[in-house]
Amino acid sequence: MSEVKGDTLTHIDAEGHARMVDVSEKAVTTREARAEAYITMLPETLAMIVDGTHKKGDVFAVARIAGIQAAKRCSDIIPLCHPLMLSSVKVELVPELDSNQVRIETICRLSGQTGVEMEALTAASAAALTLYDMCKAVDKGMVIHTVRLLEKKGGKSGHWKV
């Protein structure tokens, strides 16, 4: 979605064409974003992941790497995102046995001229998709849900939290 400044969309030029926002005049500040995603699955599937008995190996390790890689490549996936020099990407995968799901939380951080919300969201999404991919042979009914931004810090707009 385009950012709105006053009554103008910043990702749309005067002729209505899409464009990448010019951030060259923005101050370099420390910026951070947290996002989450969930994937619900059969209890047997979650147990296999937690117990480490999945035939594909350490599912959480692969999903964590996928999330980190996705954050780093966000501008290749989301057309108008700036390529960013991330200083930190964290991907936490927490099994929630009582609800047969995995909670994925990501944190992206940098010192730069634009935010890292899309990188955090992309990391959470890719980690969830990787869990699905690695487990689909045993559980095709998994559901990825509640992908959302939890918090952002830094920049002119300051601190925002759910």
Side-chain angles (χ1 to χ4, degrees):
M1 181 189 283
S2 297
E3 181 181 344
V4 178
K5 289 199 176 182
D7 59 354
T8 307
L9 295 173
T10 59
H11 283 74
I12 306 293
D13 68 15
E15 291 81 41
H17 300 122
R19 66 182 175 113
M20 187 160 59
V21 173
D22 182 356
V23 296
S24 59
E25 299 300 318
K26 285 183 159 186
V28 173
T29 62
T30 300
R31 297 160 187 265
E32 181 177 290
R34 283 188 319 117
E36 72 178 354
Y38 287 85
I39 182 166
T40 303
M41 59 193 68
L42 293 172
E44 301 81 23
T45 308
L46 185 54
M48 187 184 322
I49 294 169
V50 171
D51 297 342
T53 57
H54 194 292
K55 69 179 182 178
K56 291 189 178 182
D58 189 341
V59 175
F60 282 169
V62 176
R64 188 174 296 109
I65 291 167
I68 292 167
Q69 191 66 23
K72 291 167 50 178
R73 302 295 302 257
C74 185
S75 66
D76 292 336
I77 300 167
I78 310 296
L80 300 179
C81 280
H82 293 84
L84 301 179
M85 189 61 114
L86 297 168
S87 56
S88 176
V89 179
K90 295 178 183 166
V91 179
E92 296 293 325
L93 297 112
V94 180
E96 295 181 350
L97 301 174
D98 58 327
S99 54
N100 302 315
Q101 63 185 6
V102 175
R103 179 177 183 268
I104 302 154
E105 183 174 333
T106 61
I107 302 172
C108 292
R109 186 179 174 99
L110 61 63
S111 290
Q113 295 168 294
T114 189
V116 291
E117 297 92 333
M118 293 310 301
E119 287 71 15
L121 287 161
T122 300
S125 299
L129 288 166
T130 300
L131 287 173
Y132 187 95
D133 181 51
M134 293 191 73
C135 297
K136 68 182 183 266
V138 296
D139 186 356
K140 289 178 179 42
M142 291 175 286
V143 177
I144 296 169
H145 59 98
T146 320
V147 179
R148 66 181 182 154
L149 184 68
L150 297 173
E151 183 176 21
K152 70 153 292 296
K153 298 177 186 177
K156 188 174 161 185
S157 63
H159 189 188
W160 177 89
K161 191 173 183 178
V162 170

